[in-house]
Amino acid sequence: GQFRGDAVYNFWQDETNVRGVLRRTSLESYTAELTPGSERRAAIEWETILDLDALAKAENENWVYKGSVCLAPAYTRCLLRLSRGGSDASVYREFDMTTKAFVDGGFVMPQSKAGVSWVDENTLLVGTNWGEDTLTSSGYPRQTRLWKRGQALENATLIYEGAEADV
């Protein structure tokens, strides 16, 4: 699991959840499971945040969960990284961990070999395919830009640029 604030998050796959579920539990539930002699040792109380099988069916997409980037310290907003069929290129979509839903009008990055980091709740650092001459020779972003909420992605401010030969 990943510790985020007062919760532990886990991505789980099994024969019932083929694409998997993103789930969380309280620190208390998680640590009780680890405590020797605990009566609750095998009974972690998981809460499903997102069912990837249900999402794939609803959106008619072959979504594969590739992880998330969450805004500390509250960890209530995350960018979920979803890949079509498991490719290196992914889509990032802003997700509210409290409401367990994608944010209407939130940050969405189209499919690419991208990287993102939160600056604050309204600003991201983004490396993606910005168009001609913005990728390395191996197809990864060589520019980092500052992207503000409500701003068109293509208008994000350039803050760093590497060389085409950088890998």
Side-chain angles (χ1 to χ4, degrees), residues 51-151:
D51 180 329
L52 270 288
D53 294 280
L55 178 67
K57 183 177 180 182
E59 296 185 351
N60 196 32
E61 286 283 0
N62 184 15
W63 288 129
V64 173
Y65 180 75
K66 293 285 197 155
S68 61
V69 179
C70 298
L71 178 61
Y75 301 99
T76 56
R77 289 291 172 100
C78 296
L79 295 164
L80 300 188
R81 183 176 170 212
L82 303 172
S83 157
R84 288 182 174 94
S87 76
D88 286 347
S90 298
V91 173
Y92 284 87
R93 294 167 63 183
E94 187 175 1
F95 192 83
D96 186 319
M97 300 302 258
T98 304
T99 63
K100 300 188 248 181
F102 289 102
V103 176
D104 189 30
F107 288 110
V108 176
M109 287 187 45
Q111 182 171 305
S112 68
K113 294 179 182 178
V116 299
S117 294
W118 289 94
V119 174
D120 60 41
E121 67 184 67
N122 294 308
T123 314
L124 299 175
L125 287 174
V126 178
T128 190
N129 183 350
W130 302 100
E132 190 175 338
D133 298 324
T134 65
L135 299 176
T136 65
S137 55
S138 59
Y140 288 93
R142 64 182 184 94
Q143 292 184 349
T144 300
R145 298 186 187 195
L146 199 64
W147 185 24
K148 298 280 189 178
R149 185 178 300 283
Q151 179 182 41

Side-chain angles (χ1 to χ4, degrees), residues 8-21:
V8 178
Y9 287 82
N10 173 264
F11 183 71
W12 180 260
Q13 291 175 285
D14 59 22
E15 56 281 343
T16 304
N17 304 288
V18 177
R19 285 188 171 82
V21 292

